[in-house]
Amino acid sequence: MPFTIDNTILLFSLLLFIGVFTTKFSARFGLPSLVFFIAVGMVLSKFIYYDNAALTQLFGIMALIVILFEGGLQTKWRNVREVMVPSLSLATLGVVLTTLVIGVSAKFILDVSWLEGMLFGAIVGSTDAAAVFAVLGNKNIKQRLTSTLEVESGTNDPMAVFLTVSFIQLIQSPNANIFTLILSFFWQMGLGLALGLLLGKIAVWCINKINLDSSGLYPVLAMAFAIFTYSSTSLLKGSGLLAVYMMALWVGNSDLTFRHSIFRFNEGFAWMMQILMFILLGLLVFPAELVQITWQGIALSVLLMFVARPIGVFISTMLMKFTAKEKALISWAGLRGAVPIVLATYPLLAGMENGHLFFNVVFFVVLSSALIQGATISPLAHALGLSQGKKSVVPHTLELVSMGKTNHEIVEVHVDEHSGADGKELRQLKMPQDSLVNAIIREQKMITPRGNTRLQAGDTLYVLARKGQNEEIKALFHQQVTEQDSANV
């Protein structure tokens, strides 16, 4: 069948269908969805010849912008504040230590030079935001550990990019000034942090002040800010990925017009980009070439999972208040994903002699990491006593259609079995003034709220309130939990 425009569009739609449906299999088998997306790409590579590393790198970076933006939006600042020090230590010192251990190993296993070995270590040195966000998103592991892993994965990509580009530069230009590279690192990180926060403030102000004719344009405006943040920071030689994550962190923790619309749009868009990115990465690899580097891939994967990552975690968090079990889980949950594969295209595009070897081995390492570590995170967390059982629904905000022109919003609150509201009548709740419970969802049925309506665990309440009261309403439920627990004690 010739590849006409219509056939290509048909193939695009089929890939999206396959990507969506494979997420059901990933949930059933406990495997990260990226494994199935990559598998689809590898199967298609038998029928479609694709070797455009430049296009893959471009699409991969665009996908990472979207994924990091969505991940930053979903991250709560109060959780980040508690784990900022260990996360940054893991994202810097942890990545460097992992790079060194794997770099030395790769020098002998792949029979390459010392600098090339370090280049390989830098490529696989960081965890992947897409993989970590996807795997941890539906698991109720202790919040401190989840936050540490998510913030680490969102902030360690710049370090991996810097090390990868620096080693390529040192290989191609042996006389490069190392002192200049070190100054470049601080410039990239500092500028990425500063511009991310600055553009995040500008984005919040613009989204809240502008009055667009269609509510559907607000998510597009937010995404435009994310892409602009990356590109403008990169043009100034800063870390664009770090800037995007910091910008999203600021936006996600601000009082935002059409907040729910922006969040849901970016969640769906991030899934679409993730599906297409991993399928495209799967297309770029040739399965027959993976067979030729099987033992090297297995050896480096084992060393990464059982030696390099644990060394990086235990040393970089040596002075942190983590137990040995918590450090073990952090070590095991350091998933590799799209970032190492995208970084593996850098040597290819640089025309390096071992570029194809690095790409194939990196692909093997990522696939084994996703298959082995991704599938065993939940059982390990449960075995170590770090799982908190079933994950509760996180409250979020829904907007009125015309909220851009009003000062009200709808707050969604979930009543769990430990909530003080469980078993109480609505009139017994001390809700903020001018707030009103509009609807109660119980077992997928809507109940009309009345004063004598008794709440039950599992209920979802939709509360109409003035903007700015949402935290007060959520705190009311949290306070009731505390009071009830104190009474029981």
Side-chain angles (χ1 to χ4, degrees):
M1 183 175 66
F3 273 86
T4 63
I5 292 177
D6 291 337
N7 290 340
T8 303
I9 294 175
L10 175 62
L11 177 62
F12 179 78
S13 67
L14 292 175
L15 291 179
L16 289 180
F17 273 124
I18 294 170
V20 171
F21 292 140
T22 51
T23 59
K24 297 294 293 182
F25 291 100
S26 68
R28 178 170 297 181
F29 293 109
L31 291 172
S33 53
L34 67 90
V35 173
F36 292 90
F37 302 154
I38 288 176
V40 170
M42 293 176 68
V43 170
L44 288 175
S45 67
K46 295 184 177 181
F47 307 97
I48 303 172
Y49 181 79
Y50 175 80
D51 64 349
N52 194 330
L55 178 61
T56 303
Q57 186 183 101
L58 174 62
F59 190 87
I61 291 174
M62 286 295 297
L64 289 176
I65 293 171
V66 176
I67 292 166
L68 277 173
F69 183 58
E70 198 272 334
L73 287 179
Q74 301 290 348
T75 304
K76 301 299 180 185
W77 174 247
R78 61 179 179 270
N79 297 332
V80 173
R81 189 169 54 230
E82 296 173 358
V83 300
M84 182 64 75
V85 174
S87 296
L88 291 181
S89 182
L90 285 166
T92 52
L93 179 59
V95 172
V96 171
L97 290 171
T98 303
T99 297
L100 290 174
V101 174
I102 292 298
V104 173
S105 304
K107 186 259 186 286
F108 296 103
I109 293 175
L110 300 179
D111 192 23
V112 294
S113 67
W114 282 107
L115 282 178
E116 287 177 319
M118 292 302 163
L119 171 60
F120 181 88
I123 292 173
V124 298
S126 72
T127 58
D128 182 68
V132 172
F133 289 146
V135 171
L136 297 181
N138 59 353
K139 293 175 174 56
N140 198 17
I141 298 170
K142 281 187 176 181
Q143 183 61 56
R144 183 167 179 251
L145 299 180
T146 301
S147 299
T148 299
L149 289 164
E150 289 181 348
V151 176
E152 179 205 2
S153 67
T155 55
N156 66 5
D157 295 341
M159 174 60 84
V161 173
F162 167 76
L163 290 174
T164 299
V165 173
S166 296
F167 281 122
I168 290 176
Q169 187 175 344
L170 287 172
I171 291 170
Q172 295 183 327
S173 304
N175 296 324
N177 192 324
I178 297 179
F179 182 71
T180 303
L181 293 177
I182 295 174
L183 288 179
S184 173
F185 167 76
F186 287 104
W187 171 260
Q188 289 181 36
M189 299 302 112
L191 189 64
L193 178 64
L195 284 182
L197 294 175
L198 174 62
L199 291 172
K201 293 181 180 180
I202 295 174
V204 171
W205 180 86
C206 184
I207 292 170
N208 286 337
K209 294 297 181 181
I210 196 171
N211 189 7
L212 299 174
D213 294 333
S214 172
S215 61
L217 291 174
Y218 286 89
V220 178
L221 178 61
M223 180 54 62
F225 268 107
I227 298 173
F228 176 77
T229 298
Y230 174 86
S231 57
S232 59
T233 305
S234 297
L235 285 174
L236 295 174
K237 305 302 181 182
S239 174
L241 294 177
L242 178 61
V244 169
Y245 185 74
M246 296 308 300
M247 175 263 187
L249 194 60
W250 185 274
V251 172
N253 287 274
S254 301
D255 188 13
L256 206 62
T257 299
F258 289 101
R259 180 185 184 86
H260 184 64
S261 300
I262 292 172
F263 276 45
R264 296 286 77 78
F265 170 85
N266 282 284
E267 183 180 5
F269 193 30
W271 268 109
M272 186 180 77
M273 295 296 283
Q274 189 176 178
I275 290 170
L276 296 176
M277 173 181 63
F278 283 118
I279 291 177
L280 196 62
L281 292 173
L283 274 172
L284 191 60
V285 73
F286 298 95
E289 295 181 358
L290 293 182
V291 177
Q292 301 173 9
I293 49 91
T294 300
W295 82 264
Q296 295 96 325
I298 292 175
L300 287 168
S301 296
V302 170
L303 287 170
L304 179 61
M305 288 186 283
F306 293 97
V307 181
R309 170 68 177 178
I311 287 176
V313 169
F314 276 78
I315 293 179
S316 61
T317 60
M318 189 165 44
L319 302 178
M320 317 295 175
K321 294 181 179 179
F322 287 107
T323 66
K325 289 183 178 180
E326 289 174 334
K327 290 181 181 180
L329 184 63
I330 293 174
S331 300
W332 194 248
L335 298 177
R336 269 60 189 174
V339 173
I341 301 178
V342 172
L343 290 180
T345 63
Y346 282 52
L348 280 176
L349 295 178
M352 295 183 62
E353 180 182 357
N354 291 312
H356 284 283
L357 171 65
F358 284 177
F359 184 87
N360 290 329
V361 178
V362 167
F363 194 93
F364 194 101
V365 169
V366 168
L367 200 57
S368 59
S369 171
L371 279 169
I372 299 171
Q373 292 175 291
T376 55
I377 288 178
S378 282
L380 179 62
H382 181 73
L384 295 175
L386 301 175
S387 178
Q388 296 177 323
K390 185 179 180 181
K391 188 168 185 177
S392 59
V393 178
V394 179
H396 55 266
T397 301
L398 301 173
E399 292 86 12
L400 297 173
V401 173
S402 59
M403 199 190 79
K405 300 184 175 105
T406 71
N407 65 339
H408 284 74
E409 60 187 352
I410 297 177
V411 181
E412 179 184 313
V413 182
H414 184 76
V415 180
D416 59 35
E417 58 184 1
H418 302 296
S419 172
D422 183 18
K424 287 189 176 181
E425 295 182 354
L426 272 180
R427 58 192 171 196
Q428 294 178 291
L429 299 179
K430 298 178 181 179
M431 302 295 293
Q433 188 177 3
D434 297 332
S435 62
L436 178 68
V437 178
N438 280 358
I440 300 173
I441 306 298
R442 180 177 297 165
E443 296 179 354
Q444 299 183 349
K445 294 181 181 179
M446 189 175 75
I447 298 174
T448 302
R450 295 182 175 85
N452 62 352
T453 302
R454 192 172 296 277
L455 299 177
Q456 298 179 9
D459 287 352
T460 299
L461 279 65
Y462 289 93
V463 184
L464 178 64
R466 290 198 308 269
K467 290 181 68 175
Q469 288 184 331
N470 54 343
E471 293 299 328
E472 184 180 354
I473 292 171
K474 296 170 189 176
L476 173 66
F477 280 81
H478 176 73
Q479 181 181 4
Q480 289 171 335
V481 172
T482 303
E483 291 172 355
Q484 184 182 18
D485 290 344
S486 298
N488 290 339
V489 174

